[in-house]
Amino acid sequence: IQAAAKSWRRLNGRNQLPKVIEGIKFRNGVEVTDATKTSAA
């Protein structure tokens, strides 16, 4: 366990985890909103 822990790293964007649990979609690390969908289309 100690050997494996040396290679572990913190997750980037861990503060976004509650949004992921709520079902909010992300694309390339950016939150996708209705405005994002319409401007991209």
Side-chain angles (χ1 to χ4, degrees), residues 4-34:
K6 290 179 183 178
S7 65
W8 292 351
R9 65 179 183 88
R10 290 181 183 256
L11 293 175
N12 295 333
R14 66 182 182 275
N15 57 336
Q16 302 292 3
L17 188 57
K19 291 182 179 182
V20 172
I21 293 170
E22 289 177 19
I24 296 173
K25 302 290 183 185
F26 288 83
R27 179 167 291 134
N28 295 328
V30 179
E31 183 177 337
V32 176
T33 61
D34 291 333

